[in-house]
Amino acid sequence: MKNKVSGLGLDLLADIAGGLLIGFGTYNFTVALEFPMVGISGIALIFYHLFNIPIGISSMVLNVPIALLCYKFLGRRFFFNSIRTIIITSVIIDTISPMFPLFTGDRMLAAICAGVLSGFGYGIIYMRNSSTGGTDFVIMSVKKLKPHLTIGRISFALEALIIIAGTLAVSRQIENLIYGMIISFIMSTVMDKVMYGLSAGKMTLIVTRKAEEVAEKINEETDRGCTFIKAQGSYSEEEMDVVMCACSNKQMFAIRSLVKEIDPGAFIIIMESNEVVGEGFKKE
């Protein structure tokens, strides 16, 4: 019971903090400059500019049919978490954000602030297994179907369509379209960094005839363990060990260099790793 109350308290704090960041990013840094925004907030901004309907109210109304369509797919807990977040975020956008002045300064600075603030806000909310509804439900549904795609990348592709629609409906200025794309890119990047950045890194696969020596040197120089994967060349049919190693971004250069020193003919594959969980990395 105590854990449930504590968890609910953290969820509410995350909703409030995320809602404030999203509210400032969406309202205070985009409205005056008529920047198109992403997601349901972007559609709500269109209604705000065209019909003067409050952004929060539009967001809640638009979220209802999408939420119902995605309920079974995303599950009961995520659905009800998101309903709570939608209400809190919408209230903040319509009541607290208007209490602060609209930014009317440098347009590029406004776009950066909008992207960074909103990205942090969405990232905080996603980390608590919730969302602000709308296209978030669609994004999380795609994430379920395509788990190898990051939320930021899915978001960027989907929201680009809404940005184009917002530009055509409100300002019809190509400059605003560009700023909207900048906001979307920054937001998706920050979102991924908030969710994965602390545990993100690299993963390398090293095909070499000196696997044991390479693994020993990697452990000695970077204090990272390795895993041997049994492999066979399709052409030569020669059997050898492939060295797999997960490491931080900073350690990857050192590993690459020492592998080349030990075996100049080694075949090295370096990949991005969105998240590494386990000993030496983030603990679950």
Side-chain angles (χ1 to χ4, degrees), residues 62-105:
L62 292 168
N63 274 316
V64 172
I66 299 176
L68 293 174
L69 285 173
C70 297
Y71 171 74
K72 289 185 178 180
F73 187 79
L74 294 175
R76 183 173 179 272
R77 182 183 175 187
F78 184 80
F79 174 80
F80 284 108
N81 283 351
S82 299
I83 292 298
R84 183 195 63 238
T85 302
I86 290 167
I87 294 171
I88 292 174
T89 303
S90 298
V91 170
I92 287 174
I93 292 175
D94 281 350
T95 59
I96 296 179
S97 297
M99 294 171 62
F100 295 85
L102 298 177
F103 184 83
T104 56

Side-chain angles (χ1 to χ4, degrees), residues 21 25 38 42 47 55 65 70 75 81 126 140 161 163 169 174-175 181 196 207 232 249 264:
L21 290 169
V38 296
F47 290 139
I55 298 171
C70 297
N81 283 351
Y126 282 138
M140 297 304 286
L161 298 174
I163 289 173
I174 189 66
E175 184 177 317
M181 296 297 289
Y196 308 116
V207 182
Q232 182 180 36
N249 291 318

Side-chain angles (χ1 to χ4, degrees), residues 197-227:
L198 296 178
S199 56
K202 302 284 187 181
M203 187 183 80
T204 181
L205 296 173
I206 305 163
V207 182
T208 174
R209 292 181 174 84
K210 300 180 179 180
E212 292 186 4
E213 186 179 348
V214 166
E216 183 180 347
K217 194 68 174 177
I218 289 174
N219 182 266
E220 180 184 322
E221 295 291 331
T222 66
D223 197 29
R224 288 295 177 199
C226 298
T227 299

Side-chain angles (χ1 to χ4, degrees), residues 199-204 218 222-225 244-256 270-273 275-276 280-281:
S199 56
K202 302 284 187 181
M203 187 183 80
T204 181
I218 289 174
T222 66
D223 197 29
R224 288 295 177 199
M244 182 180 75
C245 179
C247 62
S248 68
N249 291 318
K250 293 180 181 178
Q251 292 170 326
M252 190 65 254
F253 180 79
I255 290 174
R256 184 178 182 276
I270 299 172
M271 295 170 282
E272 294 289 339
S273 177
E275 187 171 21
V276 183
F281 292 92

Side-chain angles (χ1 to χ4, degrees), residues 70 73-74 78 126 134-158:
C70 297
F73 187 79
L74 294 175
F78 184 80
Y126 282 138
T135 54
D136 290 352
F137 284 128
V138 179
I139 291 168
M140 297 304 286
S141 297
V142 174
K143 178 68 175 173
K144 288 269 188 179
L145 291 171
K146 304 288 184 179
H148 63 282
L149 296 176
T150 67
I151 288 176
R153 290 180 180 179
I154 300 168
S155 175
F156 181 71
L158 181 63

